[in-house]
């Protein structure tokens, strides 16, 4: 699990820095990504790019990984502290949330949000 944890720590760091290109290159070309803002899923790197572009134009999310574990199906489960601010800086969400990643050959193949 150590390679996956190091990969995900890097991706969270780069997401928070809004370094979209670095994060996208760590995704499978046909990634399935949970759309936490609008519901459902987006597909492929371009789908994630479009989703994050819309999201970052409306809100300022920050996610900090707190704990990593392996699920029963081999997925990596990450407990994250999520803070979402309005673009003006006011906090609108401050909560713990579970992120679930399926990683294949060093690339993120699927991302889910627990309970979504």
């Amino acid at each position: 699990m150590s390679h996956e944890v190091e990969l995900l720590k890097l991706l969270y760091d780069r997401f928070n820095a809004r370094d979209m290109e670095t994060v996208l290159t760590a995704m499978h070309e046909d990634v399935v990504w949970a759309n936490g803002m609008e519901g459902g899923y987006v597909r492929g790197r371009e789908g994630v790019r479009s989703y994050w572009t819309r999201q970052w134009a409306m809100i300022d999310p920050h996610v900090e990984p707190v704990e990593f574990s392996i699920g029963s199906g081999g997925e990596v489960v990450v407990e994250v502290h999520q803070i979402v601010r309005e673009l003006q800086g006011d906090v609108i969400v401050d909560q713990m949330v579970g992120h679930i990643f399926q990683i294949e050959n060093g690339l993120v193949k699927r991302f889910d949000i627990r309970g979504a």
Side-chain angles (χ1 to χ4, degrees):
M1 177 170 86
S2 64
H3 293 312
E4 289 88 355
V5 168
E6 291 309 311
L7 171 67
L8 292 173
K9 284 180 179 179
L10 172 67
L11 297 183
Y12 279 109
D13 176 72
R14 296 293 77 212
F15 174 87
N16 289 330
R18 302 299 181 255
D19 180 2
M20 188 184 314
E21 295 310 313
T22 296
V23 181
L24 290 174
T25 61
M27 293 181 188
H28 189 278
E29 187 175 311
D30 298 319
V31 67
V32 175
W33 194 268
N35 181 331
M37 188 171 68
E38 301 154 330
Y41 291 87
V42 296
R43 292 186 174 9
R45 290 180 184 152
E46 290 308 309
V48 175
R49 179 192 310 279
S50 176
Y51 165 54
W52 282 348
T53 299
R54 289 190 317 277
Q55 182 184 69
W56 295 343
M58 295 186 281
I59 58 174
D60 180 21
H62 182 89
V63 283
E64 198 65 43
V66 175
E67 182 181 341
F68 296 84
S69 62
I70 296 293
S72 61
E75 66 278 9
V76 181
V77 180
V78 186
E79 299 300 324
V80 299
H81 181 206
Q82 173 180 287
I83 299 174
V84 179
R85 291 182 170 83
E86 294 177 339
L87 295 180
Q88 301 79 11
D90 295 330
V91 174
I92 52 178
V93 174
D94 184 342
Q95 66 185 4
M96 295 297 294
V97 65
H99 288 171
I100 303 163
F101 292 89
Q102 291 179 9
I103 299 174
E104 287 183 10
N105 301 319
L107 296 174
V108 175
K109 178 76 174 167
R110 183 181 177 100
F111 165 74
D112 290 287
I113 302 169
R114 186 177 50 233

